[in-house]
Amino acid sequence: MTSTVPAFGTRTAEGSTLQAVLLDMDGTLVDTEGFWWDAESAVFAGLGHTLDPAWKQVVVGGPMARSAGFLIEATGADVTIPEVTVLLNDAFERRIGESLPLMPGAARLLAELAAHQVPTALVSASHRRIIDRVLHSLGTQNFRLTIAGDEVSRTKPHPDPYLIAASGLSAEPGRCAVIEDTATGVAAAEAAGCHVVAVPSVAPIEPAHRRTVVPSLEHVNLPFLHGLMTI
């Protein structure tokens, strides 16, 4: 979707301004949710357990500790959360290689935000070692700030990662647009007081006040994000 973009920081009809855009990573910008499920399935197969495909909707978008804890409890695997976390990160890294497929519209949106110098942060529940690998595909130059799940005391669905990101960009949460693909991420962004664009990847997400649902990032551009500030 292309259009003429107003200068960043111009005020909307309601007098409010878009101050920053905060983006989730897995399933939002990069097509990695399948990679994570494959890694989880392989790790637990190695421990002698088969995962139920229905569990994918439970673990998608969740922090590593929560997802790992759920799968350990569901399978009865004889492994600790710290142990399986290392195994999962190792298995995921083996699968992603040197580059990852971006979600439709992701490259265009990041380029548009960068061209107009919009303060932008990557906010993920994935660990720093994974974010740094994925940034090779996304481009470090596209983000002024990145927040990893193992760098905050409480990650999604708590609001902390988005509050920290907004503060780091000197933005008010209520004037930030967050782009997320899971209910867990949406809950974190809404708890932080941000406007949310949901692009569902695995499980459906319903529209709500200050939450706009779109089928892909191809429906999102800077004028669209400016318009959220009037909701």
Side-chain angles (χ1 to χ4, degrees):
M1 183 169 64
T2 59
S3 61
T4 302
V5 182
F8 180 71
T10 54
R11 294 189 175 275
T12 65
E14 297 296 317
S16 59
T17 307
L18 174 68
Q19 294 181 343
V21 178
L22 317 177
L23 302 107
D24 174 55
M25 186 177 77
D26 294 298
T28 299
L29 292 175
V30 287
D31 192 6
T32 50
E33 296 297 5
F35 288 90
W36 276 115
W37 180 248
D38 289 345
E40 289 157 349
S41 298
V43 166
F44 278 87
L47 296 170
H49 300 276
T50 300
L51 301 188
D52 186 331
W55 296 342
K56 184 176 182 179
Q57 292 196 24
V58 179
V59 299
V60 66
M64 179 70 75
R66 189 191 73 181
S67 298
F70 170 82
L71 293 174
I72 290 170
E73 182 176 356
T75 61
D78 184 18
V79 65
T80 66
I81 289 177
E83 288 170 342
V84 84
T85 293
V86 174
L87 294 174
L88 289 171
N89 279 326
D90 288 346
F92 180 78
E93 284 195 89
R94 286 194 296 270
R95 280 159 175 76
I96 64 176
E98 293 301 320
S99 63
L100 281 167
L102 301 191
M103 299 299 285
R108 187 267 314 151
L109 177 60
L110 290 175
E112 184 178 6
L113 295 174
H116 292 273
Q117 300 181 358
V118 179
T120 305
L122 185 67
V123 183
S124 177
S126 289
H127 290 188
R128 170 55 57 187
R129 60 181 283 196
I130 300 299
I131 288 180
D132 287 345
R133 285 289 299 277
V134 175
L135 280 171
H136 291 303
S137 297
L138 290 175
T140 57
Q141 72 280 3
N142 289 318
F143 306 98
R144 297 192 189 179
L145 178 67
T146 62
I147 304 292
D150 57 340
E151 296 174 339
V152 294
S153 57
R154 299 192 309 171
T155 188
K156 304 172 188 179
H158 297 287
D160 306 34
Y162 283 114
L163 291 173
I164 292 168
S167 176
L169 296 176
S170 299
E172 301 171 28
R175 293 190 177 182
C176 292
V178 169
I179 305 179
E180 274 280 0
D181 72 304
T182 67
T184 299
V186 167
E190 290 181 341
C194 304
H195 296 264
V196 178
V197 180
V199 191
S201 60
V202 175
I205 299 173
E206 296 299 320
H209 179 59
R210 290 163 65 95
R211 181 199 308 166
T212 303
V213 180
V214 297
S216 81
L217 292 179
E218 294 176 318
H219 294 258
V220 181
N221 63 9
L222 191 48
F224 174 91
L225 295 173
H226 274 289
L228 297 177
M229 300 300 106
T230 64
I231 297 175

